[in-house]
């Protein structure tokens, strides 16, 4: 697990986001154990206190839960999981729309382009796997 | 907690420290930043009673540093503190002989972690490996506080990465650490607290994560602002 | 084991290789010297007896017998002793400055040991004293051995056998190193130990205040020597002898002990309050 952190956003926020992405893409499944704080700190090469902070945040958001004396696990709460996915998609779409709006593209044309591009990208990725 | 309170220090006519104050907490990594010659090393020396200050006070958990403190706090200078003719094994024995806080298990672990050979003489080590031995001798002590002077300077990139790994491991966890550096970019994500020094004064003392959160600035951004002003 | 003993052992260990070489040189030089001097004597004796037709008795009457004193007056005997003295005098400074200079900074370690810093000072002093005594002991042991070797190499008629004490008495210079009698020994070495303490403290002045420290160190040495010698100085200035020799001796011993204790006390202060790495 290697994450490139930027220097301007709080690192703990970036860690939480990284977890959300992993949950949304299914890399982390519900109920799955997550690495300990210490392991995570050395994997991500960040300060253990920051990881601690990220875990606290994730617990507050209900992304993970910790039972007494056992490692933290990804939540099994479908609603939360669903919300994470939604949140990420919405966030990405928001960014996309903001940057595209400035070029003033008609929405139909845009949708077509997005579909084409998406298909081409998937094919390319698939092709790569076949190699 | 290490409390540095308004310390002043003159070398000849040069006022190196003009009233430096800051604190470093247990369990946190505090980074003293400043270009070479702003007195970073002098501050660490002063904390360890290796050089007297002209005025001001330094407290370790509320008490003055005495010989007993050296079982609680250790200093890793940027040069090795052992005799070059000694082997790594002999250096470790030396430490074991004098310090109750010496943790042989941890020392062996560090030896493996840094991929060092016990039989090697210190004088025959590369610069990077010398720095690692230096770190080993300090970190294998079960102390609450560790001071490190420029742990990343003048060594190859692989050694640097290995040493950076120490900071995110259990070898550091829970201890109060003060490190000095003039090069922050490698370790931005490793540190909790930053103390910016210039010309013998503290320009700014802040928590790096808080500055990112409340102002959206990186440590380097803050440095740019502060040092340009 | 206490930190002081461990440190003393460690300090001796650091100088040990050089020390062994020093001992080796002493033994070799003196034994080789003995062979050379004995052979030289016998050659001359044989020549003289042959050419001038002398008897052994006549030769001895004219040129004197061969004794250990013939050896002790040569460089073979004296050079290694001088070398040892110089090496140990040099070591009084070296034992401190090597920890500050060079690639290593061992002084950091020494000053950060969880033990009273004065132990570092005392252990360095003790290591030097022990090494001096060691060399002296070797010399004391060498004299009778040399006596025996002499018996093998020089025929009885030409030989004057001396006891080690007689050898020492025969050579004034040697009496400083090997005083006759316990009191003399105590006085010579007591003064030596005091001198080491004074110089050590002066070195710490220099290490604490650098350039200014050299001045302080110089003043400290002058003051200490002045106090130690004050009875002698006062008497010679006033040109009267208030004190009997025995009284003077006791006063000097008291002053010596006081100066030594003061040196240790000042050193302790410097080591805890003003030393700079």
């Amino acid at each position: 697990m290697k994450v490139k952190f930027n220097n301007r956003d709080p690192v703990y926020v970036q860690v939480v986001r990284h977890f959300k992405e992993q949950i949304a893409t299914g890399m982390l499944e519900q109920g799955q154990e997550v690495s300990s704080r210490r392991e995570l700190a050395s994997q991500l090469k960040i300060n253990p206190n920051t990881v601690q902070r990220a875990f606290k945040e994730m617990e507050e958001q209900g992304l993970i839960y910790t039972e007494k004396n056992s490692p933290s696990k990804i939540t099994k709460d479908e609603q939360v999981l669903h919300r994470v996915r939604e949140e990420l998609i919405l966030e990405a779409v928001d960014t996309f729309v903001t940057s595209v709006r400035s070029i003033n593209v008609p929405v139909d044309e845009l949708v077509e382009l997005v579909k084409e591009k998406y298909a081409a990208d998937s094919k390319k990725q698939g092709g790569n796997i076949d190699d | 907690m290490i409390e540095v309170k308004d310390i002043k220090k003159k070398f000849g006519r040069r006022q190196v420290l003009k009233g430096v104050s800051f604190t470093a907490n247990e369990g946190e990594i505090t980074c003293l930043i400043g270009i070479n010659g702003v007195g970073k090393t002098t501050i660490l020396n002063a904390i360890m009673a290796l050089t007297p200050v002209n005025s001001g006070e330094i407290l370790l958990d509320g008490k003055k540093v005495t010989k007993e403190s050296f079982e609680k706090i250790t200093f890793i200078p940027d040069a090795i503190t052992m005799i070059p003719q000694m082997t790594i094994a002999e250096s470790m024995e030396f430490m074991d002989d004098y310090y109750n806080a010496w943790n042989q298990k941890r020392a062996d672990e560090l030896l493996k972690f840094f991929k060092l050979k016990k039989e090697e003489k210190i004088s025959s080590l590369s610069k990077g490996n010398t720095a690692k031995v230096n770190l080993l001798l300090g970190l294998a002590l079960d102390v609450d506080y560790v001071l490190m002077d420029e742990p990343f300077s003048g060594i190859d990139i692989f050694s640097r990465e290995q040493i950076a790994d120490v900071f995110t491991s259990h070898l550091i966890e829970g201890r109060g650490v003060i490190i000095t550096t003039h090069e922050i970019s490698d370790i931005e994500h490793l540190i909790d607290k930053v103390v910016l020094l210039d010309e013998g004064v503290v320009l700014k003392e802040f928590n790096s994560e808080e500055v990112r959160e409340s102002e959206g600035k990186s440590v380097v951004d803050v440095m740019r602002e502060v040092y340009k002003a | 084991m206490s930190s002081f003993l461990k440190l003393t052992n460690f300090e001796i260990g650091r100088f040990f290789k050089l020390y062994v070489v020093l001992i080796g040189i002493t033994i070799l030089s003196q034994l080789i010297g003995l062979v050379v001097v004995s052979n030289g004597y016998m050659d001359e004796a044989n020549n003289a007896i042959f050419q001038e037709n002398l008897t052994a008795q006549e030769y001895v009457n004219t040129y004197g017998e061969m004794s250990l004193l013939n050896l002790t007056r040569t460089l073979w005997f004296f050079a290694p002793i001088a070398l040892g003295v110089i090496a140990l005098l040099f070591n009084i400074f070296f034992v401190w400055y090597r920890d500050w200079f060079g690639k290593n900074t061992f002084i950091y370690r020494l000053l950060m040991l969880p033990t009273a810093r004065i132990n570092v000072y005392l252990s360095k002093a003790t290591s030097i004293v022990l090494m001096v005594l060691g060399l002296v002991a070797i010399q004391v042991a060498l004299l009778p051995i040399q006596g025996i070797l002499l018996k093998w190499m020089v025929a009885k008629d030409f030989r004057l056998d001396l006891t080690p004490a007689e050898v020492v008495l025969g050579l004034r210079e040697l009496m400083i190193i090997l005083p006759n009698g316990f009191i003399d020994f105590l006085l010579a070495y007591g003064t030596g130990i005091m001198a080491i303490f004074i110089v050590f403290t002066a070195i710490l002045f220099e290490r604490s205040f650098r350039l200014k420290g050299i001045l302080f160190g110089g003043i400290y040495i002058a003051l200490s020597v002045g106090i130690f010698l004050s009875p002698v100085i006062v008497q010679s200035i006033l040109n009267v002898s208030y004190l009997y020799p025995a009284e003077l001796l006791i006063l000097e011993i008291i002053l010596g002990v006081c100066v030594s204790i003061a040196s240790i006390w000042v050193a302790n202060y410097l080591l805890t309050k003003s030393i700079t790495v």
Side-chain angles (χ1 to χ4, degrees):
Chain A
M1 184 160 35
K2 187 89 184 147
V3 188
K4 185 88 193 105
F5 292 107
N6 72 57
N7 291 337
R8 295 202 168 89
D9 292 318
V11 179
Y12 84 92
V13 173
Q14 298 182 63
V15 173
V16 172
R17 191 186 159 79
H18 169 74
F19 266 88
K20 284 182 177 168
E21 281 170 4
Q22 297 233 304
I23 290 168
T25 55
M27 300 279 283
L28 288 174
E29 287 165 12
Q30 50 173 293
Q32 186 180 335
E33 277 182 16
V34 295
S35 314
S36 73
R37 288 146 176 79
R38 185 192 291 158
E39 279 165 12
L40 212 60
S42 58
Q43 279 167 12
L44 299 175
K45 308 213 176 305
I46 54 172
N47 188 306
N49 292 334
T50 310
V51 178
Q52 177 60 32
R53 177 96 191 268
F55 270 63
K56 199 171 153 239
E57 184 73 20
M58 288 194 287
E59 265 173 14
E60 276 168 18
Q61 291 187 22
L63 293 174
I64 57 170
Y65 65 96
T66 313
E67 280 159 358
K68 253 202 316 205
N69 297 329
S70 66
S72 299
K73 290 179 181 147
I74 301 293
T75 182
K76 290 178 186 159
D77 187 335
E78 294 286 349
Q79 226 179 335
V80 173
L81 293 171
H82 189 71
R83 207 184 60 217
V84 166
R85 188 163 175 276
E86 204 118 285
E87 189 189 314
L88 285 179
I89 296 171
L90 272 177
E91 211 177 292
V93 169
D94 267 354
T95 328
F96 174 67
V97 169
T98 321
S99 60
V100 151
R101 194 175 286 279
S102 60
I103 318 172
N104 247 339
V105 193
V107 74
D108 289 342
E109 192 188 338
L110 196 62
V111 171
E112 260 328 292
L113 277 168
V114 168
K115 273 184 184 163
E116 269 174 40
K117 180 87 179 139
Y118 224 82
D121 273 2
S122 309
K123 214 174 177 182
K124 215 164 118 197
Q125 270 176 18
N128 278 341
I129 290 164
D130 284 348
D131 282 347
Chain B
M1 188 165 62
I2 299 172
E3 295 166 88
V4 174
K5 293 177 174 175
D6 197 30
I7 55 170
K8 292 179 182 153
K9 170 80 181 172
K10 250 180 171 177
F11 280 122
R13 276 192 212 143
R14 206 162 76 86
Q15 186 88 40
V16 180
L17 304 177
K18 299 170 185 164
V20 167
S21 305
F22 67 91
T23 58
N25 295 321
E26 203 172 340
E28 280 188 6
I29 300 174
T30 301
C31 188
L32 303 185
I33 301 177
I35 52 161
N36 288 326
V38 294
K40 292 174 301 213
T41 304
T42 306
I43 294 171
L44 299 190
N45 283 342
I47 294 174
M48 297 305 283
L50 295 172
T51 197
V53 290
N54 301 119
S55 68
E57 192 180 34
I58 295 165
L59 298 176
L60 178 71
D61 290 336
K63 279 180 269 175
K64 289 212 155 137
V65 170
T66 60
K67 64 178 171 23
E68 284 80 19
S69 312
F70 297 131
E71 295 276 12
K72 269 182 84 177
I73 184 169
T74 197
F75 177 28
I76 305 170
D78 66 348
I80 189 120
T81 57
M82 276 293 161
I83 297 165
Q85 290 79 19
M86 287 165 91
T87 63
I88 297 176
E90 283 167 343
S91 307
M92 287 165 64
E93 274 164 37
F94 182 91
M95 296 297 285
D96 194 15
D97 266 355
Y98 292 92
Y99 291 91
N100 293 325
W102 181 256
N103 182 333
Q104 190 58 45
K105 230 180 93 196
R106 164 107 43 76
D108 290 335
E109 191 185 334
L110 277 153
L111 211 56
K112 234 196 248 162
F113 184 89
F114 286 136
K115 299 188 177 64
L116 294 164
K117 287 194 209 77
K118 255 184 168 179
E119 318 74 49
E120 273 196 87
K121 263 194 178 183
I122 286 168
S123 56
S124 69
L125 296 173
S126 69
K127 232 179 161 196
N129 279 350
T130 311
K132 287 176 208 163
V133 172
N134 214 12
L135 229 56
L136 182 155
L137 297 176
L139 293 176
L141 290 170
D142 275 330
V143 290
D144 300 336
Y145 300 97
V146 182
L147 313 182
M148 300 185 201
D149 196 11
E150 299 274 0
F152 298 101
S153 90
I155 51 173
D156 61 283
I157 177 157
F158 300 112
S159 301
R160 217 151 68 203
E161 278 177 3
Q162 252 186 332
I163 290 172
D165 283 347
V166 167
F167 284 88
T168 58
S169 72
H170 65 284
L171 297 165
I172 285 289
E173 205 183 17
R175 310 204 209 186
V177 178
I178 300 181
I179 74 171
T180 67
T181 185
H182 57 274
E183 231 310 292
I184 181 79
S185 54
D186 279 357
I187 54 168
E188 270 226 53
H189 297 136
L190 303 181
I191 56 182
D192 292 280
K193 194 172 179 182
V194 179
V195 178
L196 297 182
L197 290 159
D198 193 29
E199 312 239 334
V201 290
V202 173
L203 295 180
K204 199 175 165 92
E205 181 181 0
F206 62 96
N207 183 299
S208 54
E209 195 75 340
E210 270 169 26
V211 157
R212 286 187 208 110
E213 177 135 52
S214 59
E215 300 177 41
K217 286 174 190 160
S218 70
V219 174
V220 175
D221 289 337
V222 179
M223 283 170 67
R224 227 173 257 132
E225 276 174 26
V226 167
Y227 284 118
K228 274 201 177 141
Chain C
M1 210 174 16
S2 79
S3 294
F4 164 70
L5 291 178
K6 278 188 279 191
L7 279 168
T8 306
N9 179 43
F10 187 75
E11 288 291 346
I12 292 174
R14 290 172 77 186
F15 200 67
F16 202 68
K17 270 189 201 157
L18 224 65
Y19 189 60
V20 169
V21 170
L22 224 52
I23 290 173
I25 290 175
T26 307
I27 294 174
L28 269 180
S29 173
Q30 293 195 358
L31 293 187
I32 292 171
L34 183 65
V35 173
V36 170
V37 172
S38 306
N39 285 345
Y41 178 89
M42 285 312 288
D43 282 351
E44 267 177 43
N46 286 334
N47 272 339
I49 291 166
F50 181 71
Q51 283 169 1
E52 298 170 32
N53 235 341
L54 299 174
T55 63
Q57 191 55 49
E58 283 166 334
Y59 179 82
V60 165
N61 285 343
T62 324
Y63 298 99
E65 303 112 320
M66 166 79 196
S67 74
L68 276 186
L69 286 175
N70 295 43
L71 170 68
T72 56
R73 292 195 195 97
T74 64
L75 270 181
W76 288 109
F77 184 85
F78 239 95
I81 293 181
L83 190 71
V85 171
I86 290 168
L88 289 168
L89 282 179
F90 172 72
N91 200 28
I92 290 180
F93 293 89
F94 184 62
V95 81
W96 287 104
Y97 285 100
R98 71 177 160 189
D99 289 341
W100 262 275
F101 297 118
K103 243 173 74 184
N104 66 322
T105 42
F106 193 58
I107 193 64
Y108 277 86
R109 185 87 281 141
L110 286 179
L111 295 180
M112 292 192 299
L113 291 177
T115 173
R117 287 177 177 176
I118 196 68
N119 280 334
V120 173
Y121 173 99
L122 293 173
S123 67
K124 283 181 190 293
T126 309
S127 74
I128 290 177
V129 172
L130 287 179
M131 283 191 283
V132 171
L133 292 178
L135 274 184
V136 171
I138 297 261
Q139 188 61 72
V140 168
L142 266 177
L143 287 175
I145 294 172
Q146 286 161 347
I148 294 167
L149 290 176
L150 192 70
K151 281 183 189 168
W152 293 351
M153 287 184 295
V154 179
K156 195 171 189 310
D157 299 339
F158 295 99
R159 204 176 63 221
L160 177 65
D161 290 326
L162 298 171
T163 64
E166 286 167 334
V167 175
V168 174
L169 274 176
L171 204 66
R172 291 195 95 228
E173 294 88 335
L174 211 54
M175 284 183 66
I176 306 170
I177 307 168
L178 293 169
N180 251 318
F182 186 65
I183 298 276
D184 287 345
F185 182 86
L186 272 192
L187 285 180
Y189 284 87
T191 311
I193 291 169
M194 177 191 71
I196 291 175
F197 283 143
I198 294 172
V199 175
F200 268 21
T201 301
I203 290 170
L204 291 182
F205 267 113
E206 191 279 329
R207 287 291 83 201
S208 296
F209 306 106
R210 303 292 146 99
L211 266 182
K212 253 190 262 169
I214 297 178
L215 184 71
F216 296 160
I219 294 171
Y220 183 77
I221 290 177
L223 209 67
S224 301
V225 174
I227 290 171
F228 179 63
L229 294 180
S230 59
V232 182
I233 295 170
V234 168
Q235 290 199 40
S236 69
I237 288 173
L238 300 179
N239 208 9
V240 277
S241 305
Y242 285 114
L243 300 164
Y244 291 111
E247 288 174 340
L248 184 66
L249 185 72
I250 290 167
L251 188 58
E252 282 301 338
I253 291 173
I254 292 170
L255 282 174
V257 170
C258 286
V259 168
S260 299
I261 289 172
S263 288
I264 296 170
W265 188 83
V266 172
N268 186 44
Y269 180 86
L270 292 173
L271 279 168
T272 47
K273 294 280 195 299
S274 16
I275 199 83
T276 284
V277 290

